[in-house]
Amino acid sequence: MSYLGQTPAAAPLNSNAIPDGLITVNKLSSNSVTEAKIVADAVTLTKIANASITAPKIANANVLTSEIQNDAVRSSKIAPLENLFEDASTVGTAFGANLSIDILDNSVVYSTAAASQNICVNLRGDGSTTLNNSMETGNTLTAAVLVTNTTNPFFISNTQIDGALVVPKVQGGSQLTAGNADSTDIYTITVVKTGSGAFTMFLSQSQFA
């Protein structure tokens, strides 16, 4: 390029020399902007357009708890919850003697068929993940087991976490010994993780007929 007079001194290109709106998403090649190329604190909340970051645009495991600033997520920043539903697993066959509840999938299980034997309930993360690895110390969760009984009732006779027996604290102070005939018994199991591999469990039985 030719110049009249002296050639301008070479200077690095900075953001002040680029008009707003000149560089658009369509002008950037895929993966051309990486985390290493972004100055710390360069992207602030005020620079992000509403609804520009959606779940499909976030890579798996890209947002970690340690990367979220204290008080960054508040109820005022979450869309109003008009209808809140919780997944439940409903089966038309009786529970077996050993029932594993995969907390990472759902925490409510319901058998609409008449129980045929007492049940040992095992709480775990899922088939390949322990509950211990799914919870942090101080976390709590609540699961519910709905057992259908007819003339000969059965009940939850044992409880486990990750395959290890846990003796729960039972509502009313006495361990359960039976179910209720011609009823649906709902067992509520609350677990508090008190340390690595250490849990306190609370169990209650409610009759519905």
Side-chain angles (χ1 to χ4, degrees):
M1 179 180 293
S2 300
Y3 298 93
L4 292 175
Q6 296 181 338
T7 301
L13 182 65
N14 57 50
S15 59
N16 294 327
I18 302 174
D20 289 342
L22 181 65
I23 299 178
T24 62
V25 173
N26 295 332
K27 295 178 181 179
L28 298 174
S29 62
S30 297
N31 301 320
S32 61
V33 179
T34 62
E35 184 178 348
K37 296 178 181 177
I38 301 175
V39 178
D41 301 323
V43 180
T44 62
L45 184 61
T46 57
K47 296 179 181 178
I48 300 175
N50 289 337
S52 62
I53 299 179
T54 58
K57 295 179 181 178
I58 301 176
N60 290 338
N62 204 36
V63 179
L64 306 176
T65 303
S66 59
E67 296 176 347
I68 301 176
Q69 182 180 358
N70 289 339
D71 299 323
V73 179
R74 298 191 296 272
S75 59
S76 60
K77 297 183 179 181
I78 301 175
L81 297 176
E82 296 180 0
N83 297 294
L84 182 62
F85 299 100
E86 183 176 357
D87 291 336
S89 173
T90 303
V91 296
T93 56
F95 292 135
N98 297 288
L99 172 64
S100 288
I101 300 179
D102 294 338
I103 295 298
L104 296 178
D105 296 329
N106 57 70
S107 58
V108 178
V109 293
Y110 177 25
S111 169
T112 59
S116 58
Q117 57 194 321
N118 291 334
I119 305 161
C120 174
V121 172
N122 177 47
L123 301 181
R124 62 187 186 181
D126 58 26
S128 59
T129 309
T130 64
L131 188 65
N132 187 50
N133 287 339
S134 303
M135 299 177 67
E136 296 181 1
T137 298
N139 285 168
T140 182
L141 66 84
T142 298
V145 182
L146 287 66
V147 179
T148 301
N149 281 315
T150 52
T151 305
N152 297 315
F154 296 91
F155 72 108
I156 291 178
S157 56
N158 284 298
T159 48
Q160 298 178 339
I161 293 178
D162 295 332
L165 181 67
V166 176
V167 178
K169 298 178 183 294
V170 181
Q171 184 179 28
S174 299
Q175 294 297 315
L176 302 178
T177 58
N180 295 291
D182 299 317
S183 304
T184 297
D185 290 332
I186 297 182
Y187 297 85
T188 301
I189 306 170
T190 298
V191 172
V192 180
K193 183 173 179 179
T194 57
S196 179
F199 302 90
T200 299
M201 180 183 290
F202 302 89
L203 173 67
S204 66
Q205 178 197 67
S206 300
Q207 178 187 11
F208 294 83

